[in-house]
Amino acid sequence: MDNKPLVGWQEWVALPELNLSHIKAKVDTGAKTCALHAYFVEPYEKDGENWVRFGIHPHQGDLETTQECHARLSDTRNVTDSGGHTEKRYVIATVVFLGGKSYDMEITLTNRDTMQFRMLLGRNLLNHNFWIDPAHSFLQGREPGDDCDDQEDRDENRDFIQE
């Protein structure tokens, strides 16, 4: 077994270019591309380049806390969700920080207000970078300020990787 880090079915990630220090994300091997919640998206032009301005509710179950983000537009594409619905989405390229490493990723923007997680980690991030253990959560660290310690769980999984 190689030395790829192990992630659980949900993890905390940071999106430093969007000024998001932490957001809970669901690991979704069925999703081709990472997806981020955006309750509005407005395209605009800046210095001759296409950009988007979008708003997010970064915390699950909290529609009061909002944050406005700006990112260079990478693409627009049709995305079909697990329910078979096709939607045209804006795509941004940004840095995703997970487990002490950063990854340049494409992320689609979509309204996930009715979904449990504000972000999905798709195969574009997971492939060749991580092993997945769907029986555990937060193997790459807890939310900042969370005193809950499941270090024993993480140590147990590190032992598994080294075998």
Side-chain angles (χ1 to χ4, degrees), residues 69 108 138:
C69 302
T108 65
F138 311 119

Side-chain angles (χ1 to χ4, degrees), residues 16-162:
E17 293 179 336
L18 303 178
N19 294 319
L20 290 167
S21 62
H22 60 283
I23 187 166
K24 192 188 298 184
K26 178 182 176 183
V27 170
D28 186 351
T29 59
K32 181 177 178 182
T33 307
C34 296
L36 178 65
H37 166 67
Y39 66 91
F40 76 86
V41 182
E42 296 175 358
Y44 66 96
E45 193 173 302
K46 176 181 169 185
D47 300 327
E49 296 182 324
N50 294 319
W51 285 65
V52 288
R53 177 175 77 97
F54 57 97
I56 72 165
H57 303 117
H59 310 295
Q60 290 177 203
D62 176 5
L63 297 179
E64 299 297 320
T65 304
T66 64
Q67 182 167 336
E68 185 176 295
C69 302
H70 297 257
R72 187 175 308 136
L73 182 63
S74 175
D75 195 9
T76 57
R77 66 180 67 133
N78 289 324
V79 176
T80 302
D81 66 21
S82 60
H85 308 98
T86 299
E87 171 189 33
K88 188 169 197 105
R89 293 186 187 175
Y90 293 100
V91 182
I92 62 170
T94 193
V95 171
V96 175
F97 194 81
L98 173 60
K101 293 182 77 175
S102 60
Y103 303 88
D104 293 323
M105 279 300 117
E106 282 195 330
I107 298 175
T108 65
L109 302 175
T110 186
N111 190 326
R112 297 184 53 79
D113 268 339
T114 60
M115 309 301 276
Q116 186 176 0
F117 288 87
R118 299 299 193 213
M119 184 170 182
L120 295 179
L121 301 180
R123 293 190 308 271
N124 63 332
L125 173 64
L126 301 169
N127 283 350
H128 311 294
N129 294 317
F130 298 97
W131 292 108
I132 301 166
D133 180 352
H136 294 91
S137 298
F138 311 119
L139 297 177
Q140 293 300 311
R142 309 284 302 171
E143 179 182 20
D146 186 344
D147 294 332
C148 181
D149 182 20
D150 62 355
Q151 185 64 43
E152 185 177 305
D153 204 24
R154 287 193 294 273
D155 290 343
E156 180 179 302
N157 285 299
R158 279 194 196 99
D159 293 340
F160 172 75
I161 291 170
Q162 294 171 355

